[in-house]
Amino acid sequence: YEAAASDAASTTATLTTDASDVTATGVVGPDGVGFVDARSLPSLGDDETYQLWGVQAETDDVVSIGILGSDPGIETFTFDGEVAALAITIERSPGVVSDGNPDGAYLGELR
């Protein structure tokens, strides 16, 4: 995570939400390998999980790219194609195929 975050070729995003002042940070390297630092997100109950999503730059399609669990840390992911933005949602465990309720999501555009 630290190496990717300090690499000038990487893109980063700060994921925020209107519902809280808590943030998460995403970093994607030029090879498509990414990391999300979600250690600051509050723990969830056993029946819920955080889920990571990526927005494809070419199509604006939102794709699930990982289940982070109820008490996430620094997580690794890969993304096929160019990712324009990341989002983290709270879902019923074990996660969903598509998110129908983005309210309260942590969102961040990669720059």
Side-chain angles (χ1 to χ4, degrees):
Y1 172 80
E2 296 298 331
S6 63
D7 185 342
S10 294
T11 54
T12 61
T14 300
L15 287 72
T16 62
T17 180
D18 291 339
S20 168
D21 60 354
V22 175
T23 63
T25 304
V27 178
V28 179
D31 58 358
V33 176
F35 303 88
V36 63
D37 182 352
R39 293 177 290 184
S40 64
L41 299 181
S43 296
L44 302 173
D46 292 339
D47 62 338
E48 293 180 311
T49 187
Y50 288 104
Q51 188 161 348
L52 180 64
W53 305 86
V55 178
Q56 292 182 326
E58 301 85 13
T59 63
D60 285 336
D61 289 339
V62 180
V63 178
S64 174
I65 52 177
I67 302 297
L68 304 179
S70 61
D71 191 19
I74 296 176
E75 309 292 338
T76 305
F77 64 90
T78 57
F79 195 84
D80 188 23
E82 185 180 345
V83 60
L86 296 173
I88 297 174
T89 58
I90 298 171
E91 305 293 350
R92 290 271 176 224
S93 196
V96 296
V97 175
S98 64
D99 182 54
N101 185 11
D103 293 342
Y106 294 84
L107 303 170
E109 185 175 338
L110 286 156
R111 299 174 190 254

